[in-house]
Amino acid sequence: MSQLQLKDLYDGFRNPEVIEGFAKLINEEAKKLPKPVNIMEVCGGHTHSIMKFGLPQLLPKNINFIHGPGCPVCIMPKERIDHAYILAELDDTILVTLGDMIKVPGSHGSLQDARAKGADVRFVYSPLDTLKIAQENPDKKIIFFAIGFETTTPMTTSLIDIVIKKEIKNIFFHINHVTVPEVMVELIDSRDEHVDSYNNRIDAFLGPSHVSVITGSKIYEKFPKKYNRPVVVAGFEPVDVMEAILMIVRQFNEGRCELEVEYKRLVSYDGNKKAQALIEKYFEKASLFKWRGLGNIPDSGYRLKDEYAYLDAEHIYADILPKEEIEDHKLCICGDILRGMAKPNECTIFGTACKPQTPLGSCMVSSEGACAAYYKYGNLL
Ligand code: SF4
Ligand code: SF4
């Protein structure tokens, strides 16, 4: 018997005939829509799937995608990247982080630049890989610069759990974990008056499935109930996205406004309770977290509880980490893109001064960023 390949698992969800079948159904349903529907995909993973498989071309003109703020690298403000840079430059530290974070420019440069100047910066695929680095470098302080949405937060808390239980003395944490529902609220019910002008552009949300694997779909309940926006939690494959679009369009046509789950193969209402318990054990909500382009959003980020302050690099190095907020490059419109107000190709330096090789803003750096997706797959538009 031949061995199961990864592609055997996703092939069916990329089947062109199934995608076309959904496109037909959506086009039929969309004829009955009383007005155009703008659907925000909150997550950069969805943006990439939508662009990579050319889904906008398959949809009727009265269904539009709005690309949302869902990439933890894209929303990281420069001042926090500067924190990482400063910590990496210390003689006795090794700064460890995940993937694309290493390329995002802060005001001193990126972590990649810091590395070129001699700082010890490493990237890992899993936070748990930090344990090996700590073991091999007992004389160094290993600072894990933790990023990500609800999906990766439990992996950081697992690392914290091991560090505490095994009494590992040389691993510390700079916490930058953020949460999805609070930013969705910000986009439709912002405290800033200037945001009102585009508030009503978002008619419905595609919820990121892997976030809900951890949190459960329950985190989106308030959007249909309180904010009158349907949410469909969708997987990342093109068949998932097309099915979710059909579910949203049917809700509008049938006069329903509900939370539905397309990605039933892994998402439950309650989510992963063990992972949630671990998060609650070590973290509490920070009263404010600054999102790049969106400003300070209440309750949208985590911090280590005070009793674990001895592990918290932000606390330990408070004297050398700047607190001032830093503006982005003046031509970069990442802020508008992350708010769903503009598309990447509306940026005047998109694809010229700003490219993946020379990114001027974070949306071009992250492989999940909207500008990177447009640059890579824009010819499919
Ligand atoms: S971290 Fe998850 S939710 Fe965020 S952009 Fe990536 S895939 Fe989407
Ligand atoms: S193309 Fe570059 S400069 Fe323009 S918005 Fe995107 S990341 Fe910012």
Side-chain angles (χ1 to χ4, degrees), residues 94 96 122 129-142 163 168-171:
I94 299 175
V96 179
R122 308 192 189 181
D129 297 341
T130 309
L131 293 166
K132 188 162 179 270
I133 298 173
Q135 203 178 25
E136 289 169 355
N137 297 276
D139 301 333
K140 295 273 189 175
K141 294 184 177 113
I142 318 301
V163 165
I168 298 170
K169 299 292 180 213
N170 64 335
I171 298 183

Side-chain angles (χ1 to χ4, degrees), residues 104-155:
V104 188
S107 57
H108 305 288
S110 67
L111 289 171
Q112 218 164 26
D113 298 330
R115 187 155 70 178
K117 287 184 192 156
D120 197 342
V121 179
R122 308 192 189 181
F123 82 90
V124 287
Y125 290 106
S126 159
L128 296 184
D129 297 341
T130 309
L131 293 166
K132 188 162 179 270
I133 298 173
Q135 203 178 25
E136 289 169 355
N137 297 276
D139 301 333
K140 295 273 189 175
K141 294 184 177 113
I142 318 301
I143 301 177
F144 181 64
F145 189 78
I147 62 162
F149 287 90
E150 289 91 332
T151 334
T152 49
T153 313
M155 293 194 265

Side-chain angles (χ1 to χ4, degrees), residues 286-341:
S287 54
L288 286 173
F289 189 95
K290 185 183 165 196
W291 292 55
R292 194 165 189 162
L294 298 173
N296 288 301
I297 303 180
D299 296 329
S300 66
Y302 283 115
R303 62 186 289 276
L304 270 161
K305 288 183 176 173
D306 285 345
E307 58 201 285
Y308 306 111
Y310 64 97
L311 295 174
D312 188 349
E314 257 188 281
H315 173 76
I316 298 165
Y317 295 99
D319 292 349
I320 58 165
L321 298 179
K323 313 243 171 334
E324 304 75 43
E325 299 199 354
I326 302 166
E327 293 295 313
D328 284 323
H329 189 287
K330 61 181 185 326
L331 292 176
C332 175
I333 59 164
C334 274
D336 288 349
I337 291 168
L338 295 174
R339 285 176 175 276
M341 289 171 75

Side-chain angles (χ1 to χ4, degrees), residues 332-334 337 347 349-350 354 361 363-364 371:
C332 175
I333 59 164
C334 274
I337 291 168
C347 173
I349 49 175
F350 170 80
C354 184
C363 297
M364 189 61 96
C371 294

Side-chain angles (χ1 to χ4, degrees), residues 231-277:
V231 176
V232 175
V233 179
F236 290 102
E237 295 299 334
V239 167
D240 291 316
V241 176
M242 293 298 274
E243 184 178 13
I245 303 289
L246 181 63
M247 290 164 80
I248 289 173
V249 176
R250 284 190 170 150
Q251 286 203 32
F252 280 101
N253 281 344
E254 292 164 14
R256 294 182 289 120
C257 179
E258 295 170 8
L259 164 62
E260 291 184 295
V261 178
E262 180 277 335
Y263 194 66
K264 290 206 176 84
R265 41 198 199 277
L266 275 182
V267 171
S268 65
Y269 180 77
D270 285 323
N272 182 331
K273 290 195 169 169
K274 272 194 187 159
Q276 292 165 22

Side-chain angles (χ1 to χ4, degrees), residues 140-199:
K140 295 273 189 175
K141 294 184 177 113
I142 318 301
I143 301 177
F144 181 64
F145 189 78
I147 62 162
F149 287 90
E150 289 91 332
T151 334
T152 49
T153 313
M155 293 194 265
T156 301
T157 48
S158 296
L159 178 61
I160 295 169
D161 203 49
I162 295 171
V163 165
I164 291 174
K165 286 184 177 151
K166 293 197 168 173
E167 299 184 1
I168 298 170
K169 299 292 180 213
N170 64 335
I171 298 183
F172 303 88
F173 297 84
H174 190 291
I175 302 297
N176 304 277
H177 284 296
V178 286
T179 52
V180 166
E182 288 72 19
V183 71
M184 288 167 65
V185 170
E186 178 71 16
L187 291 167
I188 53 177
D189 194 23
S190 174
R191 295 151 299 133
D192 291 353
E193 16 175 289
H194 73 274
V195 172
D196 271 352
S197 55
Y198 63 88
N199 261 353

